[in-house]
Amino acid sequence: MSKYHLKLYVTGRTPQSNRAVKNLRALCATELKDRAEVDIIDVAEDPFAAESAHIIATPTLIKTLPPPLRRIVGDLSNVNRVLLGLDILPEDLLKHAESAANLTGPTGGAMS
Amino acid sequence: MSDPFIEYDKIQKTSTGIQGLDGIALGGLPSGRTTLVAGTAGTGKTVFAAQFLAEGVRQFQEPGVFVTFEESAADIRRNVASLGWGIATWEASDQWCFIDASPQPGEEILITGSFDLGALLVRIEASVKRIGAKRVAIDSLGAVFARFDSDLIIRNELFRLSTALKRLGVTTVMTAERTSEYGAISRDSVEEFVTDNVIVLRNVLEEEKRRRTVEILKFRGTMHGKGEFPFTMMPETGIVVLPLTEIELDQRSSYKRITSGIAELDTMCGGGFFRDSVILVSGATGCGKTLTSTEFIAGGVAAGERCLLMAFEESRDQLSRNASGWGKDFDQFEQDGKLRVVARYPESGGLEDHLIRIKSEIMEFRPNRVAVDSLSALERVSTIKGFREFVIGLTSFIKAQEIAGLFTATTSSLLGGDSVTETHISTITDSIILLRYVEMFGEMQRGITVLKMRGSAHDKDIRAFNIDSCGMHIGPAFRNVTGILAGQPRHVPTAEIERLDQLFQQGTG
């Protein structure tokens, strides 16, 4: 299973920043359990970090690994969109996909 | 005495350093505030924004921060290099700082909830403080709206940004896109949060000719020039605004007379042209206009003056050959440093470019007299309005320098007639000299008359003149011909003239 490298950029401890951190924490506890390395950077304390990463909107979550590089803007409250951005299929969706594959498998075989 | 409190409350202006713009902005952009510069694609918004910073560095030692949302910093550095500004050098010495907020390659932004532009604000604030910036340019707002599909948030954030910039005490230029030349101020209604000051740049197609103009739409709480002013972009100087209608009629007038180069013409004008006047010489092709300007120059050189000839019809060599045919040695004049001949194709640039070139030639060579041969050639590269503005601009500049100017204009018909050039500029010039063909007994003769001579009495006769290897020679008046100006010369028998003369003598006697 591939390792995720994530960087979350926030500006100060605003409710918005707190929400983004909370949502990311929840994500790491579930979908990304034991396979995420996370950095949280407060650009208000380190403007140069925002400069070098070309950040203009906060919160911004950057996925550096696995490729491709992705920028996810917002407080991460729309979980489905976050997972889409991270190329992760939610576990229940994954199960559905598996069962769907099982269903189509034999049918496909009968056809041939 | 003025109230010190009112004086304190008055809005200070920050000079843009852009030639001509400070004139119409009555000093510059309101200091410590944000000015929106709106325009359609290709109107020069980015150059305007960059030049605002560049002039700050070059002229006022004021560092600037350039925030780019559209092009990358590298692209802008490269693009303005053609204008001759060394941004990289300024960056190295902390006089210029880019904040590159342009889309990163391969970037795909996914919005997952509420956000703000806090990081941008932090970056701007940090850079402004780091280099001690006095000026900020933001180019362009439309690109931010396009990237984050959330107009409400962006609008709020830009409002927050403009408040933050005000707090930092920097003077800011923001650019925004327009969809049409005459319509809503900007595409994304960004003016709503920077409503204080709006400048509109236009690039209008008029009769197949492009015309760039700048208009100050509003400056809250402070005065500015009104209407559209033409501008042009040139290497080194960048944007140059031509503040034509701002020119005041406050040139000093001189009673000093100078020679036209032709003794008889001086007499006809009551002793010569005035030193700081503008003379229009109008005539059909081959009538002697170039000769008149040659005589004007030769007369100046003989009097020890410096002369500038701006030629738009003939090449340098052709002019010099013509002149030698009339006994004037242009090459010798140039060697003596008394004459500079500048020959250009009218099509080599717009009228604004020509005006700026003529001005810079005048500033450089510092002549006592300037001849332009011919204005009509320039007319064909412009619209009537643009041409009029050009002549007003040139005339007032020449007068402000207190030098004499002689312009030639070609009439369309051989006999009599007037020209568009004349009708549009005759009120602007001080003197008008007409050169006309006069057909007499199957022979073309030439006539000259002084139609107008501001501030002086002048000869009202239409006189015959001929041209030989020494130049122009003005003879007696056409006593027995009428209808020359109407283009229908009619011979009047001598007996008839005598009868008329007698009639008047009887009447008065």
Side-chain angles (χ1 to χ4, degrees), chain B residues 355-425:
Chain B
L355 180 55
I356 288 161
R357 285 199 197 116
I358 296 174
K359 279 183 178 179
S360 65
E361 290 287 351
I362 291 175
M363 294 311 286
E364 211 180 293
F365 188 64
R366 292 254 158 231
N368 303 93
R369 42 177 83 190
V370 178
V372 178
D373 187 33
S374 72
L375 275 187
S376 309
L378 287 173
E379 198 180 334
R380 69 170 185 257
V381 298
S382 163
T383 60
I384 288 170
K385 195 170 148 206
F387 182 68
R388 224 188 130 80
E389 284 173 350
F390 166 78
V391 177
I392 295 172
L394 183 56
T395 310
S396 57
F397 181 77
I398 286 178
K399 288 187 164 207
Q401 304 299 311
E402 296 181 21
I403 57 180
L406 183 136
F407 305 156
T408 66
T410 311
T411 53
S412 47
S413 55
L414 272 188
L415 295 165
D418 56 0
S419 70
V420 187
T421 316
E422 258 176 60
T423 43
H424 285 284
I425 66 176

Side-chain angles (χ1 to χ4, degrees), chain B residues 19 231-234 237 240-242 351-361 390:
Chain B
Q19 263 187 54
F231 75 91
T232 182
M233 278 191 258
M234 303 184 91
T237 40
V240 180
V241 181
L242 308 171
L351 277 192
E352 290 84 7
D353 302 306
H354 282 303
L355 180 55
I356 288 161
R357 285 199 197 116
I358 296 174
K359 279 183 178 179
S360 65
E361 290 287 351
F390 166 78

Side-chain angles (χ1 to χ4, degrees), chain A residues 16 55 58 71 73 75 81, chain B residues 107 110-112 116 123:
Chain A
Q16 201 164 251
I55 308 284
T58 43
R71 280 166 187 257
V73 172
D75 62 11
R81 280 182 76 84
Chain B
E107 184 190 82
L110 199 71
I111 311 285
T112 62
D116 57 37
R123 285 168 72 183

Side-chain angles (χ1 to χ4, degrees), chain B residues 110-310:
Chain B
L110 199 71
I111 311 285
T112 62
S114 68
F115 66 94
D116 57 37
L117 297 183
L120 179 69
L121 254 68
V122 165
R123 285 168 72 183
I124 294 176
E125 210 166 320
S127 294
V128 165
K129 284 182 177 155
R130 184 172 65 83
I131 67 168
K134 297 276 180 291
R135 300 172 181 225
V136 171
I138 299 176
D139 181 60
S140 78
L141 297 181
V144 198
F145 283 91
R147 248 159 95 201
F148 300 98
D149 191 22
S150 178
D151 287 9
L152 190 70
I153 293 180
I154 298 299
R155 214 163 281 153
N156 275 336
E157 287 303 299
L158 290 177
F159 181 75
R160 206 153 71 94
L161 175 61
S162 92
T163 317
L165 289 166
K166 200 178 268 181
R167 203 180 55 239
L168 286 169
V170 292
T171 308
T172 308
V173 165
M174 284 189 188
T175 67
E177 286 73 19
R178 308 184 72 204
T179 44
S180 64
E181 294 296 0
Y182 298 93
I185 293 175
S186 67
R187 193 177 57 200
D188 304 290
S189 309
V190 285
E191 70 277 9
E192 283 165 21
F193 58 83
V194 275
T195 38
D196 286 357
N197 317 297
V198 179
I199 291 178
V200 175
L201 301 180
R202 293 191 177 91
N203 188 3
V204 191
L205 193 60
E206 246 174 39
E207 292 170 39
E208 298 180 10
K209 277 136 197 155
R210 282 273 166 207
R211 211 175 104 89
R212 292 177 187 278
T213 64
V214 54
E215 178 187 10
I216 298 175
L217 208 63
K218 62 170 165 180
F219 270 3
R220 182 165 290 172
T222 165
M223 303 290 287
H224 60 84
K226 297 186 180 56
E228 289 179 41
F229 297 88
F231 75 91
T232 182
M233 278 191 258
M234 303 184 91
E236 294 295 322
T237 40
I239 292 175
V240 180
V241 181
L242 308 171
L244 301 176
T245 50
E246 284 300 299
I247 295 160
E248 287 168 26
L249 284 168
D250 61 354
Q251 296 102 354
R252 275 176 290 167
S253 275
S254 155
Y255 288 102
K256 195 166 175 274
R257 302 264 189 171
I258 57 165
T259 178
S260 65
I262 307 162
E264 297 95 329
L265 184 57
D266 287 346
T267 317
M268 287 171 77
C269 293
F273 300 144
F274 286 116
R275 192 189 64 192
D276 49 3
S277 66
V278 170
I279 303 109
L280 178 71
V281 177
S282 154
T285 173
C287 210
K289 293 187 304 298
T290 302
L291 171 60
T292 312
S293 60
T294 306
E295 291 282 12
F296 177 69
I297 284 164
V301 171
E305 296 180 3
R306 292 160 73 83
C307 306
L308 176 68
L309 173 59
M310 300 295 304

Side-chain angles (χ1 to χ4, degrees), chain B residues 446-488:
Chain B
R446 292 182 173 96
I448 183 169
T449 186
V450 180
L451 190 69
K452 164 174 148 184
M453 179 83 194
R454 243 176 220 162
S456 169
H458 62 90
D459 193 347
K460 311 289 189 293
D461 287 339
I462 303 173
R463 291 171 179 266
F465 72 91
N466 56 56
I467 302 167
D468 65 13
S469 59
C470 296
M472 186 189 275
H473 300 281
I474 300 174
F478 288 100
R479 276 278 168 249
N480 48 358
V481 184
T482 64
I484 295 170
L485 289 184
Q488 289 158 333

Side-chain angles (χ1 to χ4, degrees), chain B residues 41-60:
Chain B
T43 45
K45 297 185 296 294
T46 304
V47 174
F48 187 105
Q51 194 173 355
F52 173 65
L53 295 196
E55 300 300 348
V57 174
R58 294 205 295 190
Q59 298 181 30
F60 309 104

